[in-house]
């Protein structure tokens, strides 16, 4: 369709005429500014793809370059036909956006980013004005922000630095354009100032585009940004109930809630896992662990396996608190391993098709809990067991159904594949040692039935050994009162296994015969077939097995829990990086009215796993301090640790109280606001006092005459009559004659002349009289203010 035909359309023709009648836009002729803006947009597009670990939008880079080039050569034309085509294409992009949005309501960030990229590509074909370039700058910044929220690795860091390095000169050129300072005008400024011998203005403009200037500015900006980032409190996120979840997963067949799909197992348990026997239980007997998949994630586990796993990152976790990412639990000890005895009791939970939310256990079973939100991104294939913090109450998962077993483990219909994202909300119970020590032994019948079971042939022998250890502790402590609290017994036995030199982590352990028991061999010695000597101790998971059986032998309900340790926290991304080698088994002990709490007897791990009691508010500065402290002498490090811990503790306490007020309704809201205003006022008073102290200290270091003169300048500046740097003292005094009464102007001139005589002639003058004149000048101003107010 030709241009003439378009004009014949009634509505379109009138619109066309109105566009032609509009005055031409102010053209942006700075080619450097256009290039920098285009580079900013390219960095934003690339950053989005890098953060999403996909290559969906790289096509936009060459297309936007073509559009920007075409726009440069056509910047002085009206391009009406192009504008209409761009408008139609934008409507098509909007339609595509809504179509994709319906299918990806789980996470709309990438969908919105793709819409912005499409709009920017079309927008690049029509960039005549500086304002149009400003839109592109904003789009580039938004794309970088989206990439920041998606990114889970440090690969985003170099792109952020590159964007900053491009943004600084871009903002300078953009500001010049706003002021109307084109290259031609700058050349005229240079020529005129060079002819007069004054090149201050031109030097300023030239300096702002020099690599040296931008290098220093970039270093200062990055330094300030990292300092703010380090000291920024890590307050709980996810205040809006929109959580990251992958796209819906479709699976064939019916979901068998009893099935656990661990690719690391093969039938027999005596070969390296290849995934050939998925879902089958390993037989009891010797064998090798799989080099990739953790053996402990299955319905039945064999602890007579030997070998090591090769480290591999399996998931990243964004959580409001550190913790043990629990996968499953075991209740029945088999002599050389564990199994889930009530596996058939796993039941399914369904979610609505319009929501990703599963309601699991909305009622907390402990007196005090804290809601913790975790988002998991899987990076390597895992079993169909869903890691989560203790006591999950809500799950946002891409399948239409999940299952919960009798030990509180979550199961998916499919294996957790690379790229899967889901979110869990847990009611994590607080661990109060004094309260848990008073819970008593009134255990429910169901708990006694399943969590006190022991093999008869080792029950008496293990009980005798356990009581002997507890009695020895009482003798060493020289106390007549034995440990009677189940919590203290569990704590001491875990510490005993962790620190006792007789029970060490063993690298080479003989296989158990079919008649041998793992706990018995650990405590009383394995028979080494090579030299005939007995070996005590075992592999890491064996310590947890021994602790669990020892507790059961003295009537304390306990079970095994498998999962992942917290992992390595990255303060730059805010994520915990978890590896397959972080997986292990830990003992959980039951306390009436409080539920299950974990104890870790494995050497090299904390006795109590990380939980909500650990402070995370200043995690970045804490990580940075630990790195610095590693280079300091031990005495200095200990002292500084105490000081920093005290300061961070108090700041965290104040912030925690302040944020807690907003959860207490209107009374808490107003209490928090009033407290914030009060703290702000106190902070302002301290700041003003510090400024006055610095000013008095600075005046005290000046020569007396210069101090009096500077006092006068400060007083006049507070009234709005600041002295310009280019003005001499006498020029400034002359300028003040037009803004002040005659008596005040004479005082200003006399003090200025005294200052000049001192500075260039060495005359001290009458210092007392000068101070009196400055005081009278200040009093005169205050009297005028009183008359005006009253």
């Amino acid at each position: 369709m030709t241009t003439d035909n378009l004009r014949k359309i009634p509505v379109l023709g009138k619109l066309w005429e109105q566009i032609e009648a509009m005055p031409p836009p102010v053209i942006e002729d700075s080619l450097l500014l256009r290039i920098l803006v285009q580079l900013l947009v390219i960095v934003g597009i690339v950053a989005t793809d890098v953060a999403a670990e996909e290559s969906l939008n790289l096509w936009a880079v060459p297309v936007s370059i073509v559009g920007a080039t075409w726009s440069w050569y056509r910047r002085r034309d009206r391009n009406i036909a192009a504008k209409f085509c761009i408008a139609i294409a934008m409507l098509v992009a909007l339609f595509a956006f809504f179509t994709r949005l319906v299918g990806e309501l789980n996470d709309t960030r990438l969908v919105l980013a793709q819409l912005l990229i499409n709009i920017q590509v079309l927008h690049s074909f029509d960039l005549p004005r500086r304002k149009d370039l400003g839109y592109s700058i904003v789009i580039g910044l938004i794309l970088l922000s989206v990439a920041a929220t998606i990114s889970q690795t440090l690969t985003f860091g170099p792109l952020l630095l590159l964007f900053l390095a491009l943004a600084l000169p871009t903002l300078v050129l953009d500001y010049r354009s706003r002021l109307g300072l084109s290259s031609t005008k700058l050349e005229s400024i240079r020529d005129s100032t060079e002819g007069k011998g004054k090149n201050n203005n031109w030097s300023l403009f030239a300096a702002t585009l020099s690599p040296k200037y931008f290098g220093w500015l970039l270093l200062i900006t990055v330094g300030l940004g990292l300092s703010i980032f380090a000291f920024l409190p890590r307050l709980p996120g996810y205040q809006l109930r929109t959580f990251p979840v992958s796209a819906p997963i479709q699976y064939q067949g019916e979901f068998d809630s009893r099935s656990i799909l661990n690719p690391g197992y093969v039938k027999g348990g005596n070969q390296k896992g290849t995934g050939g026997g998925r879902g089958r239980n390993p037989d009891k007997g010797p064998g090798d662990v799989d080099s990739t998949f953790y053996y402990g994630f299955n319905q039945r586990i064999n602890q007579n396996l030997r070998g090591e796993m090769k480290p591999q990152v399996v998931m990243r976790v964004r959580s409001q608190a550190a913790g043990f990412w629990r996968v499953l639990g075991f209740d029945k000890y088999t002599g050389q391993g564990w199994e889930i005895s009530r596996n058939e009791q796993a039941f399914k939970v369904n979610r609505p098709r319009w929501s990703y939310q599963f309601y699991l256990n909305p009622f907390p079973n402990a007196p005090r809990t804290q809601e913790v939100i975790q988002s998991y991104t899987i990076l390597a294939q895992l079993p169909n067991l869903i890691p989560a913090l203790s006591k999950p109450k809500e799950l946002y998962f891409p399948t239409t159904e999940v299952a919960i077993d009798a030990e509180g483990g979550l199961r998916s219909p499919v294996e957790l594949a690379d790229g899967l994202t889901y979110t869990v909300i847990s009611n994590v119970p607080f661990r109060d040692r004094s309260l848990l020590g008073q819970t008593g032994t009134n255990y429910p019948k169901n708990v006694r039935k399943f969590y006190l079971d022991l093999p008869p042939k080792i029950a008496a022998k293990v009980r005798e050994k356990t009581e002997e250890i507890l009695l020895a502790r009482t003798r060493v402590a020289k106390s007549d009162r034995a440990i009677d609290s189940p919590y203290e017994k569990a704590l001491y036995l875990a510490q005993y296994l962790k620190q006792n030199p007789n029970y060490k982590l063993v690298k080479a352990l003989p296989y158990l015969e079919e008649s041998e028991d793992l706990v018995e061999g650990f405590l009383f010695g394995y028979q080494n077939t090579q030299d005939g000597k007995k070996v005590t101790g075992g592999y890491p998971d064996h310590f947890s097995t021994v602790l669990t059986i020892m507790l059961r032998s003295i009537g304390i309900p306990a079970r095994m829990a498998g999962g992942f340790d917290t992992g390595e926290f990255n303060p730059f991304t805010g994520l915990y990086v978890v590896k397959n080698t972080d997986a292990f088994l830990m003992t959980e002990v039951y306390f009436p009215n409080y539920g299950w709490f974990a104890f870790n007897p494995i050497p090299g791990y904390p006795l109590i796993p990380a939980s909500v009691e650990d402070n995370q508010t200043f995690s970045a500065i804490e990580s940075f301090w630990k790195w610095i402290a590693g280079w300091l002498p031990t005495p200095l490090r200990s002292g500084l640790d105490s000081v920093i811990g005290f300061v961070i503790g108090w700041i965290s306490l104040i912030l925690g109280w302040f944020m807690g007020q907003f959860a207490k309704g209107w009374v808490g809201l107003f209490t928090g606001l009033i407290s914030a205003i009060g703290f702000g006022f106190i902070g302002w008073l301290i700041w003003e006092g510090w400024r006055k102290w610095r000013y008095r200290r600075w005046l005290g270091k000046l020569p007396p005459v210069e101090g009096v003169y500077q006092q006068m300048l400060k007083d006049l500046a507070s009234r709005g009559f600041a002295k310009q740097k280019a003005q001499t003292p006498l020029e400034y005094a002359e300028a003040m004659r037009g803004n002040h009464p005659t008596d005040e102007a004479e005082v200003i001139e006399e003090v200025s002349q005294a200052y000049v005589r001192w500075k260039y002639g060495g005359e001290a003058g009458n210092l007392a009289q000068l101070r009196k004149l400055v005081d009278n000048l200040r009093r005169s101003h205050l009297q005028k203010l009183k008359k005006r107010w009253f």
Side-chain angles (χ1 to χ4, degrees):
M1 183 178 290
T2 63
T3 302
D4 293 334
N5 292 333
L6 288 174
R7 295 187 181 190
K8 293 179 180 179
I9 300 175
V11 177
L12 196 58
K14 290 184 179 180
L15 183 60
W16 196 295
E17 292 176 358
Q18 291 178 0
I19 294 176
E20 286 185 328
M22 294 174 61
V26 179
I27 305 303
E28 176 56 62
D29 286 319
S30 174
L31 180 60
L32 180 59
L33 175 59
R34 289 175 177 271
I35 293 175
L36 289 174
V37 170
Q38 185 61 34
L39 290 175
L40 284 179
V41 172
I42 291 174
V43 172
I45 295 172
V46 174
T48 305
D49 274 3
V50 169
E53 298 180 355
E54 297 177 353
S55 300
L56 299 176
N57 304 303
L58 289 181
W59 62 268
V61 174
V63 178
S64 63
I65 293 175
V66 172
T69 305
W70 186 87
S71 179
W72 163 256
Y73 286 107
R74 302 275 298 182
R75 66 187 184 279
R76 301 192 184 281
D77 300 329
R78 290 185 179 275
N79 303 317
I80 299 176
K83 293 181 188 297
F84 276 104
C85 292
I86 291 172
I88 294 171
M90 284 188 174
L91 290 176
V92 174
L94 188 63
F95 175 78
F97 162 72
F98 284 115
T99 303
R100 187 180 176 190
L101 185 65
V102 172
E104 299 188 21
L105 288 174
N106 52 298
D107 193 347
T108 59
R109 292 173 294 179
L110 284 177
V111 183
L112 291 169
Q114 194 167 32
L115 174 64
L116 279 176
I117 290 172
N118 293 335
I119 291 175
Q120 171 57 32
V121 169
L122 297 171
H123 179 62
S124 64
F125 283 87
D126 186 29
L127 299 173
R129 301 167 296 178
R130 182 204 55 76
K131 183 170 67 173
D132 298 316
L133 296 174
Y135 296 151
S136 297
I137 295 174
V138 172
I139 289 176
L141 183 61
I142 294 174
L143 291 176
L144 193 78
S145 303
V146 172
T149 64
I150 299 173
S151 176
Q152 296 186 350
T153 64
L154 288 179
T155 53
F156 174 73
L159 291 171
L160 178 61
L161 291 177
L162 179 59
F163 188 91
L164 179 61
L166 293 171
L168 294 177
T170 303
L171 292 176
V172 171
L173 292 174
D174 181 73
Y175 187 64
R176 289 185 184 182
S177 179
R178 291 173 185 270
L179 296 177
L181 297 175
S182 62
S183 300
T184 306
K185 291 183 179 180
L186 290 176
E187 290 289 342
S188 63
I189 292 174
R190 181 184 64 177
D191 295 338
S192 60
T193 53
E194 286 180 352
K196 296 179 181 179
K198 297 180 180 179
N199 58 356
N200 292 334
N201 291 332
W202 175 252
S203 298
L204 177 61
F205 282 113
T208 54
L209 283 179
S210 67
K212 181 179 178 181
Y213 172 81
F214 278 115
W216 280 109
L217 185 60
L218 180 63
L219 288 176
I220 293 172
T221 305
V222 172
L224 288 175
L226 289 176
S227 299
I228 295 172
F229 177 82
F231 286 93
L232 195 67
R234 267 46 176 180
L235 300 176
Y238 294 126
Q239 299 302 319
L240 299 176
R241 294 288 175 169
T242 302
F243 306 113
V245 185
S246 295
I249 297 176
Q250 304 296 332
Y251 52 92
Q252 301 296 326
E254 186 179 354
F255 173 30
D256 183 3
S257 61
R258 300 168 299 175
S259 175
I260 297 179
L261 311 177
N262 190 332
Y265 272 114
V266 296
K267 187 176 181 181
N270 54 5
Q271 302 177 39
K272 291 188 176 180
T274 61
R278 298 185 182 184
R280 302 183 183 181
N281 296 333
D283 296 335
K284 187 177 180 180
D288 297 330
V289 297
D290 185 84
S291 62
T292 303
F293 298 94
Y294 178 60
Y295 81 101
F297 299 152
N298 208 46
Q299 176 190 347
R300 179 186 177 97
I301 63 171
N302 177 12
Q303 292 190 293
N304 201 15
L305 302 177
R306 304 292 184 258
E308 295 181 355
M309 289 189 298
K310 297 178 181 178
Q312 178 187 11
V313 176
V314 294
M315 64 182 183
R316 300 190 191 100
V317 184
R318 186 183 302 278
S319 176
Q320 294 173 307
F324 179 69
W325 319 120
R326 191 179 186 275
V327 175
L328 80 172
F330 301 96
D331 63 325
K332 185 177 181 180
Y333 176 59
T334 62
Q336 294 183 7
W338 292 85
E339 69 175 354
I340 304 173
S341 66
R342 294 171 289 168
N343 188 56
E344 70 283 351
Q345 296 183 15
F347 62 94
K348 298 179 185 178
V349 179
N350 298 309
R351 65 167 174 83
R353 292 193 175 274
W354 61 85
S355 172
Y356 291 87
Q357 185 180 31
F358 292 91
Y359 289 97
L360 306 176
N361 181 22
F363 304 105
N365 58 353
R368 185 186 178 193
T369 62
Q370 178 173 316
E371 182 182 274
V372 179
I373 303 173
Q374 321 117 60
S375 289
Y376 299 80
T377 300
I378 307 301
L379 302 177
Q381 188 178 16
L382 291 177
N384 65 319
L385 303 170
I386 303 173
L389 278 184
S390 176
K391 306 302 178 187
K393 69 169 185 175
E394 295 176 31
L395 171 67
Y396 295 77
F397 202 77
T399 60
T400 56
E401 53 187 352
V402 296
I404 306 176
D405 63 29
E407 307 305 326
L410 303 178
R411 303 181 185 182
S412 164
V414 295
E415 295 175 2
L416 307 188
D418 181 13
L420 174 70
T421 299
Y422 66 93
T423 299
V424 181
I425 304 178
S426 301
N427 275 332
V428 180
F430 275 80
R431 190 180 194 120
D432 190 319
R433 181 172 178 174
S434 60
L435 293 178
L436 292 175
Q438 302 171 8
T439 55
T441 58
N442 186 22
Y443 303 115
K445 181 180 179 181
N446 198 48
V447 171
R448 295 196 305 269
K449 178 179 179 181
F450 293 102
Y451 304 110
L452 292 176
D453 181 57
L454 285 173
K457 72 172 186 175
I458 68 166
K461 194 174 183 180
V462 174
R463 183 185 308 112
E464 182 181 349
K465 178 67 175 178
T466 305
E467 291 175 348
E468 177 186 334
I469 294 171
L470 294 174
L471 183 61
R473 186 264 182 193
T474 305
R475 292 172 180 171
V476 171
K478 296 181 180 180
S479 173
D480 296 333
R481 186 171 177 269
I483 304 175
D484 55 1
S485 163
Y487 185 88
E488 296 301 326
K489 289 180 180 179
L491 202 64
Y492 179 73
L493 289 173
Q495 189 70 38
Y496 175 85
L497 291 175
K498 185 187 295 286
Q499 295 181 346
N500 194 299
N502 294 324
Y503 306 119
K504 298 180 180 180
L505 287 171
V506 180
K507 294 183 179 181
L509 195 66
Y511 286 105
L512 295 172
E513 298 296 333
E514 187 174 351
S515 60
E516 290 184 291
D517 186 275
L518 184 147
V519 174
E520 185 179 17
F522 183 102
L523 291 174
F524 305 103
Y526 300 94
Q527 188 69 35
N528 196 326
T529 56
Q530 295 181 356
D531 55 13
K533 296 181 180 179
K534 285 194 173 184
V535 179
T536 56
Y539 290 156
D541 288 351
H542 296 177
F543 282 79
S544 301
T545 294
V546 172
L547 175 61
T548 305
I549 298 304
M550 291 177 75
L551 291 171
R552 288 185 175 189
S553 70
I554 56 175
I556 299 176
R559 68 183 179 188
M560 291 283 277
F564 294 96
D565 195 18
T566 305
E568 183 179 356
F569 180 70
N570 188 328
F572 292 98
T573 62
L575 300 171
Y576 297 95
V577 181
V578 183
K579 299 180 180 179
N580 56 352
T581 50
D582 290 323
F584 61 89
L585 299 175
M586 191 164 47
T587 300
E588 288 184 339
V589 181
Y590 182 81
F591 299 95
N593 302 320
Y594 285 84
W596 297 92
F597 287 87
F599 296 82
N600 192 351
I602 302 174
Y605 286 88
L607 181 63
I608 304 299
S611 187
V612 293
E613 299 85 14
D614 300 322
N615 175 54
Q616 297 291 321
T617 307
F618 294 95
S619 55
I621 191 63
E622 287 177 0
S623 300
F624 180 73
W625 165 245
K626 289 179 181 177
W627 179 76
I628 293 293
W631 300 87
L632 299 177
T634 302
L636 179 60
R637 182 171 64 247
S638 301
L640 291 176
D641 274 337
S642 302
V643 174
I644 292 176
F646 176 79
V647 173
I648 290 179
W650 272 102
I651 294 176
S652 301
L653 183 65
I654 294 173
L655 285 176
W657 176 87
F658 177 73
M659 298 302 295
Q661 297 304 311
F662 291 95
K664 297 181 180 180
W666 288 104
V667 175
L669 176 63
F670 282 107
T671 302
L673 291 175
I674 293 171
S675 301
I677 295 172
F679 281 124
F681 179 69
I682 294 173
W684 177 80
L685 290 177
I686 295 174
W687 170 255
E688 286 297 315
W690 181 72
R691 286 183 59 191
K692 290 179 180 179
W693 174 81
R694 279 190 61 196
Y695 178 70
R696 289 195 297 268
R697 186 182 178 190
W698 175 70
L699 283 180
K701 295 180 179 180
L702 296 176
V705 177
E706 185 177 4
V708 174
Y709 179 69
Q710 292 295 337
Q711 279 185 295
M712 182 188 73
L713 292 182
K714 184 176 182 299
D715 181 60
L716 293 173
S718 65
R719 307 185 200 178
F721 303 105
K723 178 181 175 295
Q724 303 298 322
K725 291 184 178 180
Q727 288 179 314
T728 66
L730 296 181
E731 287 176 344
Y732 175 69
E734 183 64 26
M736 291 299 100
R737 283 191 172 276
N739 299 305
H740 292 81
T742 304
D743 55 342
E744 292 186 1
E746 289 178 353
V747 170
I748 296 172
E749 184 174 3
E750 184 173 349
V751 175
S752 299
Q753 288 179 350
Y755 172 71
V756 171
R757 288 195 297 270
W758 165 81
K759 188 172 182 65
Y760 300 104
E763 298 182 18
N766 191 339
L767 187 62
Q769 182 180 358
L770 292 176
R771 286 175 175 166
K772 186 175 181 181
L773 290 174
V774 173
D775 290 339
N776 291 337
L777 186 65
R778 186 183 301 108
R779 290 195 189 97
S780 174
H781 176 64
L782 292 175
Q783 289 176 359
K784 290 179 181 179
L785 291 177
K786 289 181 180 179
K787 289 180 180 179
R788 187 180 303 172
W789 291 344
F790 302 103

